[in-house]
Amino acid sequence: MKIITLIVGTLYSLILSSLAAFAAPTATLDLLGNLDARSGPTLGTTTPAHWIDVMTGNFSYAVSVYDSLCAAHTVKIYFYKDSENIWHIGAYIDGADLVGGSADAPQGALSNSIYFDDYHHRSGTIPASDISLTPTWANGAAAQTINLSFASFTQYSKSFSVDSVTQDGTACETIGHTQIDFDGDGKYDYMYRKITTGMVMIKKSSSNYTDTILRKAGKIGDIIISGDYTGDGLADIVVYRPSKHMWLICQSELAWDCTKPLTQTFGSGADVPISADHDGDGILDLAVWRPNQRKFCFRHSIDQSLACSSTTGTAWKPVK
């Protein structure tokens, strides 16, 4: 059994036995902004022992990157002025996310000297990337190189800013094991998603897939799943927002109107939502796979009680 999902004009197959699909790990990160030319010199370090060692920078900024398991990780960026028109930039990840690392012990890299001319733009030979990070993730995600570029930064006598961040990585856009019977005929319907507009399209099996339902559901970075979360026998459209661990349930009883969702909060960190009925009441529970702890956690719909099931060893992979 497969669900066909539309992503930015291209069709992909979502195999129900996979927990997460369409992972797009971050490989490039381009930042545009301004460094305040009025700033005085500070010192950066290539081997910080604690976060306090890198917090001496003039400015800082945090951005999320994504691994091959769809998990988000925070890269903290610090900007250090060396002297007139010369800066260094450091990019660091908390050691808790990395193999062999420790919480509150940043690991990363400091750039070579970055030069600006008298016209406030980068000067000299500008590399394709200013910093390359090669994290080995503790959650078992694939090896990864993340190249950060600050080629579009300026140095004017105005406040520090990061005006845009462009990257090729995203959180998983769709999660496996979705129950999608929206018209109540006992057959699976087809569900499509166009990420750029946030639109979801459902083709109903009861009409031989000629009738469609179009709804605006979620935004870039959200994860879309579906299933009966209200107990009326019809699938709901569910938006999971990883940044807030928020579940937005667009109820079938309200014609899947995502402007009036049933909102619940459940999850933490880089949790991946799944569709499952753990208490056997016929209503799907809020459930997640927690990759950093290698366990499933869920909130029973029948009584709101919490439970988790875990395993040890990285050789065991989740199958749902």
Side-chain angles (χ1 to χ4, degrees), residues 64-83:
S64 292
V65 297
Y66 302 94
D67 66 25
S68 64
L69 296 178
C70 307
H73 305 271
T74 299
V75 174
K76 295 183 179 180
I77 302 169
Y78 292 85
F79 300 85
Y80 308 88
K81 188 170 186 179
D82 187 330
S83 57

Side-chain angles (χ1 to χ4, degrees), residues 175-196:
I175 294 302
H177 192 53
T178 13
Q179 171 196 341
I180 52 172
D181 180 11
F182 289 89
D183 52 15
D185 66 347
K187 299 178 182 179
Y188 272 68
D189 304 311
Y190 288 100
M191 184 176 183
Y192 304 81
R193 183 187 185 193
K194 193 170 186 180
I195 298 174
T196 53

Side-chain angles (χ1 to χ4, degrees), residues 3-320:
I3 301 170
I4 306 302
T5 304
L6 181 66
I7 297 188
V8 198
T10 304
L11 287 175
Y12 297 83
S13 294
L14 174 57
I15 309 300
L16 293 185
S17 61
S18 66
L19 183 69
F22 313 132
T26 303
T28 60
L29 199 63
D30 296 312
L31 295 91
L32 181 153
N34 182 72
L35 297 170
D36 192 337
R38 300 166 295 186
S39 303
T42 58
L43 295 176
T45 176
T46 57
T47 56
H50 304 285
W51 281 113
I52 191 67
D53 298 326
V54 298
M55 292 172 63
T56 56
N58 298 84
F59 312 108
S60 63
Y61 187 77
V63 63
S64 292
V65 297
Y66 302 94
D67 66 25
S68 64
L69 296 178
C70 307
H73 305 271
T74 299
V75 174
K76 295 183 179 180
I77 302 169
Y78 292 85
F79 300 85
Y80 308 88
K81 188 170 186 179
D82 187 330
S83 57
E84 189 72 18
N85 292 337
I86 304 175
W87 292 75
H88 292 281
I89 303 174
Y92 304 96
I93 300 168
D94 193 87
D97 285 3
L98 304 171
V99 171
S102 302
D104 299 320
Q107 296 185 27
L110 192 69
S111 72
N112 294 321
S113 295
I114 292 175
Y115 299 92
F116 290 88
D117 58 27
D118 292 336
Y119 299 97
H120 317 293
H121 294 278
R122 290 282 298 270
S123 65
T125 301
I126 302 175
S129 65
D130 293 296
I131 303 173
S132 290
L133 300 177
T134 55
T136 302
W137 302 114
N139 65 359
Q144 187 170 351
T145 298
I146 304 171
N147 295 309
L148 291 83
S149 172
F150 303 87
S152 298
F153 258 72
T154 58
Q155 184 197 230
Y156 287 100
S157 295
K158 64 178 185 178
S159 298
F160 164 77
S161 65
V162 174
D163 302 313
S164 72
V165 178
T166 304
Q167 67 163 299
D168 54 0
T170 64
C172 282
E173 299 299 345
T174 310
I175 294 302
H177 192 53
T178 13
Q179 171 196 341
I180 52 172
D181 180 11
F182 289 89
D183 52 15
D185 66 347
K187 299 178 182 179
Y188 272 68
D189 304 311
Y190 288 100
M191 184 176 183
Y192 304 81
R193 183 187 185 193
K194 193 170 186 180
I195 298 174
T196 53
T197 62
M199 295 300 296
V200 168
M201 179 174 64
I202 299 157
K203 287 184 172 289
K204 299 191 290 184
S205 58
S206 58
S207 67
N208 199 26
Y209 309 107
T210 58
D211 290 345
T212 61
I213 301 169
L214 285 173
R215 294 292 183 270
K216 179 74 179 279
K219 58 185 181 181
I220 292 176
D222 289 345
I223 297 170
I224 303 294
I225 59 177
S226 62
D228 185 6
Y229 284 82
T230 59
D232 70 339
L234 299 179
D236 307 300
I237 299 171
V238 180
V239 178
Y240 178 71
R241 187 153 294 159
S243 60
K244 297 183 179 180
H245 314 301
M246 184 178 294
W247 299 66
L248 307 172
I249 301 171
C250 310
Q251 304 168 74
S252 57
E253 296 94 327
L254 298 179
W256 305 281
D257 185 352
C258 290
T259 66
K260 302 174 182 178
L262 176 64
T263 303
Q264 299 192 50
T265 301
F266 178 71
S268 66
D271 284 356
V272 179
I274 57 176
S275 300
D277 177 11
H278 291 275
D279 53 19
D281 66 347
I283 300 174
L284 295 183
D285 307 313
L286 303 187
V288 296
W289 164 248
R290 190 159 293 161
N292 61 328
Q293 298 179 16
R294 307 195 60 73
K295 63 183 178 183
F296 291 98
C297 291
F298 38 89
R299 179 189 292 163
H300 292 125
S301 60
I302 197 167
D303 59 7
Q304 301 300 301
S305 62
L306 303 177
C308 290
S309 174
S310 62
T311 186
T312 58
T314 57
W316 292 99
K317 305 297 182 183
V319 177
K320 181 62 181 158

